[in-house]
Amino acid sequence: MNDVTAPKIAFVGAGSVVFTQGLLADLFTFPELAHARIALHDIDAERLTTAEGAARYIAGVRGAKPVITTHPDRRSALADADFVINIIQVGMDSATRTDFDVPARYGLRQTIGDTLGIGGIFRALRTFPVLRSLAADMAELCPDALLLNYTNPMAMNALYLSRVAPALRVTGLCHSVYWTMHDLAQLVGVPFEEVTYLAAGVNHQAWVLRFERAGQDLHPLLDEVIARDPELLRRVRVDMYRRLGHYPTETSEHSSEYVPWYLHHDSEIERLRLPVGAYLDIIEENAESYVRTREALASGTPLPVEGTLEYAPQIIHSVLTGTPRTVYGNVPNRGLIDNLPADSVVEVPCLVDALGIQPTRVGALPPQCAALNSAYVAVNDLVVRAATDNEPRHIRHAAMADPATAAALPVERIWDLCDDLVRAHGELLQPELRVELGH
């Protein structure tokens, strides 16, 4: 650590202004971080300028006095950093639209498309080259820094980094477990502060294993609430909970994409009110939020300064001050979950203090939950192997193994779809994977 009173925190992809704003609002609530050195990097000059303006405004509102610098060049942002927060989106909105539009022509439905499925596969493949160069830069410029990754697909990105840069200190962060438990507490009418819980699995498909207040299981209360409200039965994750016995920790929109049962069937889309293409609306909302921020800064209009309760600021504070906290992190398994592969990436509770991020061993998942997670991590493994082994056939193998894709398309159409997406994403992919293979 260079200076515990003024740690250097590099934001890679800081032009994701709305997310950067939330993280900074959280960071500057901690007095110990009031003098942090904030290094903002983005390849988009206008977005970088907007991020800087928002950062200075938020610091002023919070009464913090950080040193804020901007860096079109990533290496200067990384130099001597103590923490690196990765929030890049390679290809931005146009690439995401491609991930939806091309599969839609094949009749393949997606809701979010950023974790598994054909959208997750190609989002990963265009992100990997940037992650490799980021890891190389960190090894040279800040080898002891902690990389806190928010970029999806979380598990694929963390797995890729664990294989190409095993010495890198990286943890993937996602708010899904926290907000699931927050919402479940609200649903059963118990103050969140009184709830204790345990969840584990994989990112966006972890499972609630314990949900208690003062040692008393709250699942019976949850069951009563569901029984009283038929509308709750029209949610994918309530449907999965009733059938599997464990509540999944991501939204219904997300959860529908990682299994073969829902999106391929018109009746299920109707019954469970699934918003096909929902992420395209989120893209529009994010773009509008960015424009509002840019215009507010230009006109001197006050900006909302709202914390997001994200994990990265809490982790930074705990590492610097020794304050113990529990967060949920995405890390290499290595014995944390017995019935998932040792080299997969899993999501488990982690203790954070002055020693860093220390994952908790969970043991075995319920077998029905492990079965679904096993299909998920098998796809992850094939996508990463496509990149590390320079093997374009593994892209197709991953799509063939993906539950939702395999439920919707015959194998020849899966290969055709992969060819179309390889062609569409072109130079965003590493050269060895820009190969069309036909049937």
Side-chain angles (χ1 to χ4, degrees), residues 82-133:
D82 299 300
F83 302 93
V84 178
I85 299 176
N86 182 44
I87 46 178
I88 62 171
Q89 183 182 351
V90 177
M92 293 294 288
D93 295 351
S94 61
T96 301
R97 291 185 185 283
T98 295
D99 285 341
F100 277 85
D101 293 346
V102 175
R105 295 201 294 266
Y106 284 75
L108 182 60
R109 294 161 169 158
Q110 300 177 95
T111 51
I112 306 298
D114 71 352
T115 300
L116 211 62
I118 203 72
I121 290 169
F122 277 87
R123 180 179 281 239
L125 291 171
R126 63 177 185 267
T127 304
F128 289 167
V130 181
L131 293 181
R132 181 184 282 269
S133 61

Side-chain angles (χ1 to χ4, degrees), residues 84-389:
V84 178
I85 299 176
N86 182 44
I87 46 178
I88 62 171
Q89 183 182 351
V90 177
M92 293 294 288
D93 295 351
S94 61
T96 301
R97 291 185 185 283
T98 295
D99 285 341
F100 277 85
D101 293 346
V102 175
R105 295 201 294 266
Y106 284 75
L108 182 60
R109 294 161 169 158
Q110 300 177 95
T111 51
I112 306 298
D114 71 352
T115 300
L116 211 62
I118 203 72
I121 290 169
F122 277 87
R123 180 179 281 239
L125 291 171
R126 63 177 185 267
T127 304
F128 289 167
V130 181
L131 293 181
R132 181 184 282 269
S133 61
L134 171 62
D137 283 348
M138 288 184 64
E140 178 186 349
L141 300 167
C142 54
D144 297 324
L146 185 60
L147 174 60
L148 303 174
N149 178 69
Y150 278 104
T151 296
N152 284 319
M154 180 65 67
M156 292 190 204
N157 288 339
L159 182 64
Y160 177 78
L161 286 169
S162 75
R163 293 185 181 173
V164 301
L168 191 67
R169 301 172 64 208
V170 57
T171 299
L173 302 178
C174 176
H175 54 220
S176 62
V177 171
Y178 172 84
W179 285 112
T180 292
M181 302 315 302
H182 180 278
D183 293 348
L184 284 179
Q186 188 174 53
L187 195 61
V188 300
V190 174
F192 179 67
E193 296 75 19
E194 298 178 16
V195 169
T196 56
Y197 59 88
L198 172 66
V202 292
N203 182 236
H204 291 171
Q205 198 188 60
W207 311 95
V208 179
L209 304 178
R210 294 177 65 181
F211 177 37
E212 301 171 358
R213 176 175 58 177
Q216 180 180 3
D217 187 7
L218 292 174
H219 283 96
L221 194 54
L222 176 60
D223 295 340
E224 291 174 13
V225 172
I226 292 170
R228 290 197 303 267
D229 187 354
E231 286 301 297
L232 289 175
L233 300 176
R234 300 186 66 194
R235 296 183 182 177
V236 163
R237 55 181 177 170
V238 172
D239 191 73
M240 292 177 68
Y241 166 59
R242 291 176 63 239
R243 299 176 193 280
L244 297 168
H246 292 276
Y247 203 85
T249 62
E250 196 32 278
T251 64
S252 291
E253 292 87 342
H254 274 281
S255 296
S256 68
E257 292 190 304
Y258 316 142
V259 294
W261 315 315
Y262 300 118
L263 283 171
H264 184 51
H265 304 284
D266 293 341
S267 59
E268 292 296 82
I269 288 176
E270 174 66 25
R271 177 174 76 92
L272 299 166
R273 299 171 294 185
L274 283 169
V276 174
Y279 197 71
L280 298 177
D281 294 332
I282 295 172
I283 287 174
E284 293 295 334
E285 292 169 8
N286 289 342
E288 291 168 5
S289 295
Y290 167 72
V291 170
R292 287 195 297 271
T293 297
R294 185 186 65 198
E295 292 177 349
L297 289 167
S299 64
T301 304
L303 284 174
V305 179
E306 299 174 359
T308 55
L309 300 176
E310 290 288 352
Y311 286 139
Q314 299 176 52
I315 289 170
I316 292 169
H317 182 262
S318 287
V319 170
L320 290 173
T321 66
T323 304
R325 287 186 174 87
T326 297
V327 304
Y328 276 76
N330 292 273
V331 294
N333 188 8
R334 296 173 187 162
L336 301 172
I337 296 179
D338 293 341
N339 47 354
L340 291 180
D343 64 347
S344 61
V345 165
V346 296
E347 189 166 69
V348 295
C350 302
L351 169 66
V352 189
D353 59 19
L355 297 177
I357 299 173
Q358 303 151 68
T360 301
R361 184 179 184 278
V362 175
L365 294 176
Q368 68 275 24
C369 298
L372 296 180
N373 287 170
S374 294
Y376 176 119
V377 300
V379 176
N380 289 352
D381 178 66
L382 285 164
V383 176
V384 171
R385 288 180 186 275
T388 58
D389 298 353

Side-chain angles (χ1 to χ4, degrees), residues 424-439:
H425 286 304
E427 293 186 359
L428 293 178
L429 307 180
Q430 66 194 61
E432 299 86 355
L433 301 182
R434 302 171 197 165
V435 179
E436 297 174 39
L437 298 178
H439 297 328

